[in-house]
Amino acid sequence: EPSPHLAAPKNVEVYSYNFHSLLRWSPGGTDSVLYTVHYRTGAFPVWNEMNCTRIPQTECEFPLEIGKRRWTIFLRVRAEQGQDCSDWVQTPPFVAERDTTLGPPKVNRVSASSDSLLLSVSPPFTPEPRDSFQYRVFYWENSTSTTRKEQEAHRTLLQIEKLKESTLYCFSLQVEFEGVFGNLLGQESAPKCHRTAIS
């Protein structure tokens, strides 16, 4: 039975970045409480323990067994102190492939010629077979006029063409993950600048 004088955790939410997910919350009140987290999937209405039983921390990483990107996951957490426990606080349904935040793509290499920059990029997380991505590159001449141009490609080699020689260009990148639940647009990378070569 929940104890009326033990406050439940507050601000309970799933934090998920590049499919690495954890549950976070704030203490509801008193110090020196411990927390227990349970999960269940959309397919089975049974609550399971989640390697976070009577822990002092206010976060709990998802175990590998619920790391499937398309599963619907429900989580709940409560505070415990001695024999007392608070009410459970439950999260809305979480589906990683719909609800995660994607970071920017990684830039592995930049090769400059006199009129182009060739970028070798990779997705922000380790892809699964049949994953599909679209990469966007925004680029501009590093001068007083900062007109951004944009181009898209499904490949991990992106060529920015028709550039001026021996000129500094800046670019940033974004990835769009094409998933079952619709497309997830990732965060834009911080600008990087490279100079084209002299012909």
Side-chain angles (χ1 to χ4, degrees):
E1 278 297 293
S3 156
H5 67 262
L6 196 57
K10 295 193 299 246
N11 309 321
V12 179
E13 61 178 2
V14 175
Y15 172 80
S16 182
Y17 189 75
N18 291 336
F19 295 110
H20 180 79
S21 307
L22 47 87
L23 185 68
R24 287 179 171 168
W25 59 90
S26 313
T30 50
D31 296 337
S32 71
V33 295
L34 299 172
Y35 301 97
T36 293
V37 180
H38 288 172
Y39 76 90
R40 70 177 177 84
T41 64
F44 295 101
V46 177
W47 289 101
N48 301 285
E49 292 202 346
M50 191 165 132
N51 64 10
C52 293
T53 300
R54 298 184 70 76
I55 59 163
Q57 299 88 354
T58 55
E59 63 178 48
C60 175
E61 283 195 34
F62 280 31
L64 280 175
E65 63 264 24
I66 62 169
K68 300 282 185 287
R69 299 190 325 200
R70 292 176 189 163
W71 283 11
T72 302
I73 306 291
F74 298 87
L75 299 142
R76 66 180 188 180
V77 59
R78 72 179 181 189
E80 300 177 8
Q81 194 171 41
Q83 296 302 305
D84 291 338
C85 52
S86 73
D87 285 320
W88 289 104
V89 181
Q90 188 176 320
T91 63
F94 170 80
V95 180
E97 197 166 289
R98 181 190 67 197
D99 301 324
T100 198
T101 299
L102 290 186
K106 301 185 192 82
V107 179
N108 304 316
R109 201 173 60 252
V110 180
S111 313
S113 68
S114 60
D115 63 350
S116 69
L117 293 173
L118 184 65
L119 318 180
S120 162
V121 300
S122 53
F125 58 91
T126 306
E128 293 183 356
R130 295 196 297 282
D131 277 354
S132 180
F133 301 94
Q134 175 144 296
Y135 295 94
R136 279 193 194 134
V137 58
F138 307 97
Y139 62 98
W140 59 95
E141 197 179 320
N142 188 17
S143 63
T144 48
S145 74
T146 53
T147 314
R148 281 187 10 147
K149 297 181 180 168
E150 177 184 340
Q151 67 184 52
E152 297 180 346
H154 276 90
R155 297 185 312 280
T156 53
L157 275 179
L158 304 168
Q159 186 155 29
I160 309 172
E161 298 178 298
K162 298 184 181 149
L163 304 179
K164 300 177 191 167
E165 65 174 275
S166 189
T167 302
L168 192 61
Y169 284 89
C170 300
F171 60 86
S172 66
L173 293 158
Q174 197 175 29
V175 69
E176 190 166 356
F177 170 68
E178 297 165 355
V180 172
F181 297 92
N183 292 1
L184 269 182
L185 194 58
Q187 298 168 328
E188 200 177 312
S189 67
K192 283 180 157 54
C193 300
H194 282 262
R195 191 174 292 280
T196 50
I198 297 175
S199 58

